[in-house]
Amino acid sequence: MRTSFRWILVAILAIKLALLTAYLTVLSFGGKSLSRSTGKPLLTVFTTFKEIGMIPHHRLSLRIVVENWSSFRPHVRPVVFLNFTDSAMADMARSAGWEVVQMERVNARGTPHLVDMYRTAFERFDSHLYGYANGDLIFDDGIVRTLETVCGQLPSLNNNVLLTGIRTNVIVDLAETETLSPDELLKGDRLKRFAETRGKLFTPDTADYFFVTRDGSSLQWSNLLDVVIGRGGYGTYLVAMAKSHGVNVIDTTGTVLAIHLSEKGVTSHGNLNPDSEYNRVLIGQRHKKKFDHRNGYPGNAKLHTQYDDMGTVKLNKRI
């Protein structure tokens, strides 16, 4: 009788252990389980590309970015906003599995408004997260692993997050024979080694991607200024406003390698444009030049991701 009772206890403990293991697996890799159970991507990521007057550097970056973002499907849905949706560029994007969307509202210089792009993505696509990323940015597989972890913990965060991180600048010099080809650059660990040997983590304010939840977000989009993409101040403005609206901002610099394909001798193409000061002027007029962009620095977020000793992405409070 006692032997049977012991076996029953062992069986119960075994069941509890199995359930605990399954729970921890879902917690650590929640995004993957969530994606499989819901059948929708972890992230809809959107951008735009220069369509007229492209220089060789832009053409090389375009090919690399299209291939890189496509490599994360079906976890990530890549979307491009274009003025000419029947162009060779549009066809190339579609053939790589991208969604092509008609560009909507732009400023007088033709630069797209950030909030409009989010609204269109919210309306047209279904995913756990949505976000803009610069069109000259590529990622390592840490983006999917980080999305999996964060999405697995969305319920405990009230489905109210914004993910952002500092970019790593890598000079892609077409004149150098040792520069890696696009195919080589996209090969897993080669990308990380390339960033380690030739890259540099840029300044604290240089975040180039912003991933948010649609459902459950406390970000008051209608109260945001009409900032445009790719011009100084738009990113720190978005993040700072999200924090002020109660959004859980997460710095993912530690687990997402975001490589900016930089042209030799050019720190920022955005600063070379006629409307380079567009956002700063707009923000200054509203906030009387008292807006503190430091509140939008990724390093000032209260939450951040990092790898543990086993190489698992963990979401922690910043100490």
PDB file of all heavy atoms in Angstrom, residues 233-266:
ATOM      1  N   GLY A 233      16.045  64.037 -34.237  1.00  0.00           N
ATOM      2  CA  GLY A 233      15.107  64.248 -33.153  1.00  0.00           C
ATOM      3  C   GLY A 233      13.853  63.403 -33.171  1.00  0.00           C
ATOM      4  O   GLY A 233      13.161  63.318 -32.154  1.00  0.00           O
ATOM      5  N   TYR A 234      13.526  62.758 -34.292  1.00  0.00           N
ATOM      6  CA  TYR A 234      12.248  62.033 -34.350  1.00  0.00           C
ATOM      7  C   TYR A 234      12.228  60.835 -33.409  1.00  0.00           C
ATOM      8  O   TYR A 234      11.208  60.535 -32.777  1.00  0.00           O
ATOM      9  CB  TYR A 234      11.934  61.593 -35.786  1.00  0.00           C
ATOM     10  CG  TYR A 234      12.617  60.314 -36.208  1.00  0.00           C
ATOM     11  CD1 TYR A 234      11.950  59.102 -36.161  1.00  0.00           C
ATOM     12  CD2 TYR A 234      13.936  60.315 -36.653  1.00  0.00           C
ATOM     13  CE1 TYR A 234      12.573  57.927 -36.539  1.00  0.00           C
ATOM     14  CE2 TYR A 234      14.568  59.166 -37.037  1.00  0.00           C
ATOM     15  CZ  TYR A 234      13.888  57.967 -36.978  1.00  0.00           C
ATOM     16  OH  TYR A 234      14.518  56.810 -37.342  1.00  0.00           O
ATOM     17  N   GLY A 235      13.363  60.137 -33.293  1.00  0.00           N
ATOM     18  CA  GLY A 235      13.408  58.924 -32.481  1.00  0.00           C
ATOM     19  C   GLY A 235      13.365  59.210 -30.998  1.00  0.00           C
ATOM     20  O   GLY A 235      12.567  58.605 -30.254  1.00  0.00           O
ATOM     21  N   THR A 236      14.203  60.131 -30.550  1.00  0.00           N
ATOM     22  CA  THR A 236      14.208  60.466 -29.128  1.00  0.00           C
ATOM     23  C   THR A 236      12.883  61.107 -28.720  1.00  0.00           C
ATOM     24  O   THR A 236      12.406  60.926 -27.591  1.00  0.00           O
ATOM     25  CB  THR A 236      15.371  61.410 -28.790  1.00  0.00           C
ATOM     26  OG1 THR A 236      15.397  62.501 -29.727  1.00  0.00           O
ATOM     27  CG2 THR A 236      16.697  60.676 -28.850  1.00  0.00           C
ATOM     28  N   TYR A 237      12.263  61.832 -29.646  1.00  0.00           N
ATOM     29  CA  TYR A 237      10.953  62.421 -29.370  1.00  0.00           C
ATOM     30  C   TYR A 237       9.913  61.320 -29.143  1.00  0.00           C
ATOM     31  O   TYR A 237       9.158  61.353 -28.160  1.00  0.00           O
ATOM     32  CB  TYR A 237      10.512  63.319 -30.518  1.00  0.00           C
ATOM     33  CG  TYR A 237       9.081  63.816 -30.386  1.00  0.00           C
ATOM     34  CD1 TYR A 237       8.755  64.827 -29.487  1.00  0.00           C
ATOM     35  CD2 TYR A 237       8.059  63.253 -31.147  1.00  0.00           C
ATOM     36  CE1 TYR A 237       7.447  65.260 -29.343  1.00  0.00           C
ATOM     37  CE2 TYR A 237       6.756  63.685 -31.016  1.00  0.00           C
ATOM     38  CZ  TYR A 237       6.444  64.686 -30.111  1.00  0.00           C
ATOM     39  OH  TYR A 237       5.142  65.106 -29.973  1.00  0.00           O
ATOM     40  N   LEU A 238       9.877  60.341 -30.053  1.00  0.00           N
ATOM     41  CA  LEU A 238       8.899  59.259 -29.939  1.00  0.00           C
ATOM     42  C   LEU A 238       9.081  58.491 -28.639  1.00  0.00           C
ATOM     43  O   LEU A 238       8.107  58.229 -27.914  1.00  0.00           O
ATOM     44  CB  LEU A 238       9.018  58.310 -31.126  1.00  0.00           C
ATOM     45  CG  LEU A 238       8.123  57.063 -31.098  1.00  0.00           C
ATOM     46  CD1 LEU A 238       6.656  57.444 -31.120  1.00  0.00           C
ATOM     47  CD2 LEU A 238       8.448  56.128 -32.257  1.00  0.00           C
ATOM     48  N   VAL A 239      10.312  58.135 -28.307  1.00  0.00           N
ATOM     49  CA  VAL A 239      10.573  57.348 -27.109  1.00  0.00           C
ATOM     50  C   VAL A 239      10.254  58.150 -25.849  1.00  0.00           C
ATOM     51  O   VAL A 239       9.637  57.639 -24.911  1.00  0.00           O
ATOM     52  CB  VAL A 239      12.034  56.859 -27.088  1.00  0.00           C
ATOM     53  CG1 VAL A 239      12.330  56.121 -25.781  1.00  0.00           C
ATOM     54  CG2 VAL A 239      12.308  55.941 -28.277  1.00  0.00           C
ATOM     55  N   ALA A 240      10.670  59.412 -25.822  1.00  0.00           N
ATOM     56  CA  ALA A 240      10.402  60.248 -24.643  1.00  0.00           C
ATOM     57  C   ALA A 240       8.905  60.431 -24.429  1.00  0.00           C
ATOM     58  O   ALA A 240       8.416  60.380 -23.286  1.00  0.00           O
ATOM     59  CB  ALA A 240      11.088  61.599 -24.797  1.00  0.00           C
ATOM     60  N   MET A 241       8.167  60.637 -25.500  1.00  0.00           N
ATOM     61  CA  MET A 241       6.717  60.797 -25.378  1.00  0.00           C
ATOM     62  C   MET A 241       6.065  59.496 -24.925  1.00  0.00           C
ATOM     63  O   MET A 241       5.125  59.510 -24.119  1.00  0.00           O
ATOM     64  CB  MET A 241       6.133  61.266 -26.709  1.00  0.00           C
ATOM     65  CG  MET A 241       6.551  62.677 -27.109  1.00  0.00           C
ATOM     66  SD  MET A 241       6.081  63.942 -25.894  1.00  0.00           S
ATOM     67  CE  MET A 241       4.284  63.909 -26.047  1.00  0.00           C
ATOM     68  N   ALA A 242       6.555  58.370 -25.431  1.00  0.00           N
ATOM     69  CA  ALA A 242       6.022  57.079 -25.002  1.00  0.00           C
ATOM     70  C   ALA A 242       6.212  56.892 -23.495  1.00  0.00           C
ATOM     71  O   ALA A 242       5.300  56.452 -22.784  1.00  0.00           O
ATOM     72  CB  ALA A 242       6.699  55.949 -25.778  1.00  0.00           C
ATOM     73  N   LYS A 243       7.396  57.237 -22.997  1.00  0.00           N
ATOM     74  CA  LYS A 243       7.658  57.131 -21.556  1.00  0.00           C
ATOM     75  C   LYS A 243       6.713  58.023 -20.771  1.00  0.00           C
ATOM     76  O   LYS A 243       6.173  57.624 -19.728  1.00  0.00           O
ATOM     77  CB  LYS A 243       9.116  57.507 -21.263  1.00  0.00           C
ATOM     78  CG  LYS A 243      10.124  56.461 -21.679  1.00  0.00           C
ATOM     79  CD  LYS A 243      11.546  56.954 -21.495  1.00  0.00           C
ATOM     80  CE  LYS A 243      11.899  57.146 -20.045  1.00  0.00           C
ATOM     81  NZ  LYS A 243      13.338  57.506 -19.880  1.00  0.00           N
ATOM     82  N   SER A 244       6.486  59.234 -21.261  1.00  0.00           N
ATOM     83  CA  SER A 244       5.603  60.167 -20.549  1.00  0.00           C
ATOM     84  C   SER A 244       4.159  59.705 -20.566  1.00  0.00           C
ATOM     85  O   SER A 244       3.361  60.116 -19.714  1.00  0.00           O
ATOM     86  CB  SER A 244       5.715  61.567 -21.158  1.00  0.00           C
ATOM     87  OG  SER A 244       5.109  61.629 -22.446  1.00  0.00           O
ATOM     88  N   HIS A 245       3.809  58.846 -21.519  1.00  0.00           N
ATOM     89  CA  HIS A 245       2.446  58.308 -21.609  1.00  0.00           C
ATOM     90  C   HIS A 245       2.300  56.971 -20.876  1.00  0.00           C
ATOM     91  O   HIS A 245       1.260  56.327 -20.973  1.00  0.00           O
ATOM     92  CB  HIS A 245       2.042  58.133 -23.076  1.00  0.00           C
ATOM     93  CG  HIS A 245       1.914  59.427 -23.816  1.00  0.00           C
ATOM     94  ND1 HIS A 245       1.724  59.488 -25.189  1.00  0.00           N
ATOM     95  CD2 HIS A 245       1.947  60.720 -23.401  1.00  0.00           C
ATOM     96  CE1 HIS A 245       1.656  60.748 -25.568  1.00  0.00           C
ATOM     97  NE2 HIS A 245       1.789  61.513 -24.504  1.00  0.00           N
ATOM     98  N   GLY A 246       3.356  56.550 -20.194  1.00  0.00           N
ATOM     99  CA  GLY A 246       3.255  55.329 -19.392  1.00  0.00           C
ATOM    100  C   GLY A 246       3.625  54.049 -20.107  1.00  0.00           C
ATOM    101  O   GLY A 246       3.343  52.953 -19.588  1.00  0.00           O
ATOM    102  N   VAL A 247       4.255  54.132 -21.268  1.00  0.00           N
ATOM    103  CA  VAL A 247       4.668  52.937 -22.004  1.00  0.00           C
ATOM    104  C   VAL A 247       5.927  52.358 -21.366  1.00  0.00           C
ATOM    105  O   VAL A 247       6.814  53.099 -20.925  1.00  0.00           O
ATOM    106  CB  VAL A 247       4.932  53.275 -23.484  1.00  0.00           C
ATOM    107  CG1 VAL A 247       5.419  52.040 -24.243  1.00  0.00           C
ATOM    108  CG2 VAL A 247       3.670  53.829 -24.142  1.00  0.00           C
ATOM    109  N   ASN A 248       6.016  51.039 -21.308  1.00  0.00           N
ATOM    110  CA  ASN A 248       7.218  50.367 -20.806  1.00  0.00           C
ATOM    111  C   ASN A 248       8.275  50.352 -21.904  1.00  0.00           C
ATOM    112  O   ASN A 248       8.193  49.565 -22.845  1.00  0.00           O
ATOM    113  CB  ASN A 248       6.896  48.928 -20.389  1.00  0.00           C
ATOM    114  CG  ASN A 248       5.909  48.852 -19.245  1.00  0.00           C
ATOM    115  OD1 ASN A 248       6.178  49.346 -18.156  1.00  0.00           O
ATOM    116  ND2 ASN A 248       4.752  48.251 -19.499  1.00  0.00           N
ATOM    117  N   VAL A 249       9.243  51.228 -21.799  1.00  0.00           N
ATOM    118  CA  VAL A 249      10.300  51.310 -22.804  1.00  0.00           C
ATOM    119  C   VAL A 249      11.400  50.308 -22.455  1.00  0.00           C
ATOM    120  O   VAL A 249      11.857  50.242 -21.308  1.00  0.00           O
ATOM    121  CB  VAL A 249      10.879  52.731 -22.893  1.00  0.00           C
ATOM    122  CG1 VAL A 249      12.054  52.776 -23.869  1.00  0.00           C
ATOM    123  CG2 VAL A 249       9.787  53.706 -23.325  1.00  0.00           C
ATOM    124  N   ILE A 250      11.831  49.540 -23.448  1.00  0.00           N
ATOM    125  CA  ILE A 250      12.835  48.495 -23.254  1.00  0.00           C
ATOM    126  C   ILE A 250      14.034  48.774 -24.158  1.00  0.00           C
ATOM    127  O   ILE A 250      13.887  48.905 -25.377  1.00  0.00           O
ATOM    128  CB  ILE A 250      12.260  47.102 -23.579  1.00  0.00           C
ATOM    129  CG1 ILE A 250      11.008  46.823 -22.732  1.00  0.00           C
ATOM    130  CG2 ILE A 250      13.309  46.018 -23.353  1.00  0.00           C
ATOM    131  CD1 ILE A 250      10.269  45.557 -23.139  1.00  0.00           C
ATOM    132  N   ASP A 251      15.209  48.856 -23.551  1.00  0.00           N
ATOM    133  CA  ASP A 251      16.448  49.024 -24.299  1.00  0.00           C
ATOM    134  C   ASP A 251      16.946  47.641 -24.710  1.00  0.00           C
ATOM    135  O   ASP A 251      17.316  46.830 -23.864  1.00  0.00           O
ATOM    136  CB  ASP A 251      17.488  49.732 -23.430  1.00  0.00           C
ATOM    137  CG  ASP A 251      18.845  49.854 -24.114  1.00  0.00           C
ATOM    138  OD1 ASP A 251      18.935  49.593 -25.334  1.00  0.00           O
ATOM    139  OD2 ASP A 251      19.819  50.211 -23.421  1.00  0.00           O
ATOM    140  N   THR A 252      16.954  47.369 -26.012  1.00  0.00           N
ATOM    141  CA  THR A 252      17.349  46.047 -26.504  1.00  0.00           C
ATOM    142  C   THR A 252      18.743  46.053 -27.137  1.00  0.00           C
ATOM    143  O   THR A 252      19.107  45.112 -27.841  1.00  0.00           O
ATOM    144  CB  THR A 252      16.316  45.534 -27.532  1.00  0.00           C
ATOM    145  OG1 THR A 252      16.185  46.490 -28.595  1.00  0.00           O
ATOM    146  CG2 THR A 252      14.962  45.323 -26.880  1.00  0.00           C
ATOM    147  N   THR A 253      19.519  47.085 -26.857  1.00  0.00           N
ATOM    148  CA  THR A 253      20.868  47.177 -27.425  1.00  0.00           C
ATOM    149  C   THR A 253      21.705  45.950 -27.089  1.00  0.00           C
ATOM    150  O   THR A 253      22.505  45.484 -27.913  1.00  0.00           O
ATOM    151  CB  THR A 253      21.590  48.437 -26.904  1.00  0.00           C
ATOM    152  OG1 THR A 253      20.788  49.590 -27.167  1.00  0.00           O
ATOM    153  CG2 THR A 253      22.943  48.603 -27.556  1.00  0.00           C
ATOM    154  N   GLY A 254      21.525  45.399 -25.893  1.00  0.00           N
ATOM    155  CA  GLY A 254      22.341  44.282 -25.441  1.00  0.00           C
ATOM    156  C   GLY A 254      22.101  42.974 -26.157  1.00  0.00           C
ATOM    157  O   GLY A 254      22.952  42.071 -26.096  1.00  0.00           O
ATOM    158  N   THR A 255      20.963  42.838 -26.837  1.00  0.00           N
ATOM    159  CA  THR A 255      20.659  41.552 -27.494  1.00  0.00           C
ATOM    160  C   THR A 255      20.306  41.681 -28.970  1.00  0.00           C
ATOM    161  O   THR A 255      20.135  40.675 -29.647  1.00  0.00           O
ATOM    162  CB  THR A 255      19.498  40.846 -26.767  1.00  0.00           C
ATOM    163  OG1 THR A 255      18.353  41.715 -26.749  1.00  0.00           O
ATOM    164  CG2 THR A 255      19.881  40.474 -25.353  1.00  0.00           C
ATOM    165  N   VAL A 256      20.176  42.896 -29.461  1.00  0.00           N
ATOM    166  CA  VAL A 256      19.867  43.107 -30.876  1.00  0.00           C
ATOM    167  C   VAL A 256      21.025  43.874 -31.517  1.00  0.00           C
ATOM    168  O   VAL A 256      21.263  45.037 -31.183  1.00  0.00           O
ATOM    169  CB  VAL A 256      18.554  43.890 -31.077  1.00  0.00           C
ATOM    170  CG1 VAL A 256      18.316  44.155 -32.568  1.00  0.00           C
ATOM    171  CG2 VAL A 256      17.374  43.121 -30.491  1.00  0.00           C
ATOM    172  N   LEU A 257      21.743  43.213 -32.393  1.00  0.00           N
ATOM    173  CA  LEU A 257      22.802  43.881 -33.142  1.00  0.00           C
ATOM    174  C   LEU A 257      22.151  44.567 -34.339  1.00  0.00           C
ATOM    175  O   LEU A 257      21.696  43.917 -35.270  1.00  0.00           O
ATOM    176  CB  LEU A 257      23.852  42.881 -33.609  1.00  0.00           C
ATOM    177  CG  LEU A 257      24.960  43.435 -34.515  1.00  0.00           C
ATOM    178  CD1 LEU A 257      25.749  44.532 -33.822  1.00  0.00           C
ATOM    179  CD2 LEU A 257      25.893  42.308 -34.975  1.00  0.00           C
ATOM    180  N   ALA A 258      22.097  45.891 -34.282  1.00  0.00           N
ATOM    181  CA  ALA A 258      21.495  46.684 -35.356  1.00  0.00           C
ATOM    182  C   ALA A 258      22.620  47.435 -36.063  1.00  0.00           C
ATOM    183  O   ALA A 258      23.163  48.399 -35.536  1.00  0.00           O
ATOM    184  CB  ALA A 258      20.476  47.662 -34.795  1.00  0.00           C
ATOM    185  N   ILE A 259      22.976  46.967 -37.248  1.00  0.00           N
ATOM    186  CA  ILE A 259      24.107  47.538 -37.982  1.00  0.00           C
ATOM    187  C   ILE A 259      23.622  48.587 -38.971  1.00  0.00           C
ATOM    188  O   ILE A 259      22.777  48.309 -39.830  1.00  0.00           O
ATOM    189  CB  ILE A 259      24.885  46.442 -38.733  1.00  0.00           C
ATOM    190  CG1 ILE A 259      25.597  45.522 -37.734  1.00  0.00           C
ATOM    191  CG2 ILE A 259      25.899  47.045 -39.690  1.00  0.00           C
ATOM    192  CD1 ILE A 259      26.410  44.426 -38.393  1.00  0.00           C
ATOM    193  N   HIS A 260      24.163  49.772 -38.828  1.00  0.00           N
ATOM    194  CA  HIS A 260      23.882  50.848 -39.769  1.00  0.00           C
ATOM    195  C   HIS A 260      24.940  50.808 -40.861  1.00  0.00           C
ATOM    196  O   HIS A 260      26.143  50.916 -40.594  1.00  0.00           O
ATOM    197  CB  HIS A 260      23.918  52.192 -39.046  1.00  0.00           C
ATOM    198  CG  HIS A 260      23.645  53.362 -39.937  1.00  0.00           C
ATOM    199  ND1 HIS A 260      24.638  54.163 -40.457  1.00  0.00           N
ATOM    200  CD2 HIS A 260      22.477  53.863 -40.425  1.00  0.00           C
ATOM    201  CE1 HIS A 260      24.106  55.106 -41.208  1.00  0.00           C
ATOM    202  NE2 HIS A 260      22.801  54.951 -41.202  1.00  0.00           N
ATOM    203  N   LEU A 261      24.506  50.638 -42.100  1.00  0.00           N
ATOM    204  CA  LEU A 261      25.423  50.558 -43.237  1.00  0.00           C
ATOM    205  C   LEU A 261      25.838  51.968 -43.625  1.00  0.00           C
ATOM    206  O   LEU A 261      25.182  52.637 -44.416  1.00  0.00           O
ATOM    207  CB  LEU A 261      24.755  49.831 -44.406  1.00  0.00           C
ATOM    208  CG  LEU A 261      24.300  48.397 -44.087  1.00  0.00           C
ATOM    209  CD1 LEU A 261      23.502  47.810 -45.243  1.00  0.00           C
ATOM    210  CD2 LEU A 261      25.496  47.509 -43.766  1.00  0.00           C
ATOM    211  N   SER A 262      26.928  52.414 -43.055  1.00  0.00           N
ATOM    212  CA  SER A 262      27.354  53.805 -43.199  1.00  0.00           C
ATOM    213  C   SER A 262      28.250  53.990 -44.423  1.00  0.00           C
ATOM    214  O   SER A 262      29.074  53.134 -44.744  1.00  0.00           O
ATOM    215  CB  SER A 262      28.115  54.250 -41.946  1.00  0.00           C
ATOM    216  OG  SER A 262      27.330  54.075 -40.793  1.00  0.00           O
ATOM    217  N   GLU A 263      28.094  55.142 -45.062  1.00  0.00           N
ATOM    218  CA  GLU A 263      28.952  55.495 -46.182  1.00  0.00           C
ATOM    219  C   GLU A 263      30.209  56.179 -45.653  1.00  0.00           C
ATOM    220  O   GLU A 263      30.146  56.990 -44.719  1.00  0.00           O
ATOM    221  CB  GLU A 263      28.215  56.429 -47.139  1.00  0.00           C
ATOM    222  CG  GLU A 263      29.022  56.809 -48.372  1.00  0.00           C
ATOM    223  CD  GLU A 263      28.285  57.784 -49.269  1.00  0.00           C
ATOM    224  OE1 GLU A 263      27.174  58.221 -48.893  1.00  0.00           O
ATOM    225  OE2 GLU A 263      28.827  58.118 -50.331  1.00  0.00           O
ATOM    226  N   LYS A 264      31.330  55.859 -46.209  1.00  0.00           N
ATOM    227  CA  LYS A 264      32.597  56.436 -45.766  1.00  0.00           C
ATOM    228  C   LYS A 264      32.551  57.963 -45.870  1.00  0.00           C
ATOM    229  O   LYS A 264      32.188  58.519 -46.891  1.00  0.00           O
ATOM    230  CB  LYS A 264      33.754  55.896 -46.604  1.00  0.00           C
ATOM    231  CG  LYS A 264      35.128  56.323 -46.106  1.00  0.00           C
ATOM    232  CD  LYS A 264      36.234  55.677 -46.918  1.00  0.00           C
ATOM    233  CE  LYS A 264      37.603  56.071 -46.386  1.00  0.00           C
ATOM    234  NZ  LYS A 264      38.712  55.428 -47.156  1.00  0.00           N
ATOM    235  N   GLY A 265      32.890  58.619 -44.753  1.00  0.00           N
ATOM    236  CA  GLY A 265      32.935  60.073 -44.737  1.00  0.00           C
ATOM    237  C   GLY A 265      31.609  60.747 -44.463  1.00  0.00           C
ATOM    238  O   GLY A 265      31.532  61.977 -44.421  1.00  0.00           O
ATOM    239  N   VAL A 266      30.534  59.954 -44.276  1.00  0.00           N
ATOM    240  CA  VAL A 266      29.205  60.529 -44.030  1.00  0.00           C
ATOM    241  C   VAL A 266      28.679  60.001 -42.698  1.00  0.00           C
ATOM    242  O   VAL A 266      28.438  58.806 -42.553  1.00  0.00           O
ATOM    243  CB  VAL A 266      28.209  60.186 -45.154  1.00  0.00           C
ATOM    244  CG1 VAL A 266      26.844  60.790 -44.852  1.00  0.00           C
ATOM    245  CG2 VAL A 266      28.731  60.672 -46.494  1.00  0.00           C
TER     246      VAL A 266
END
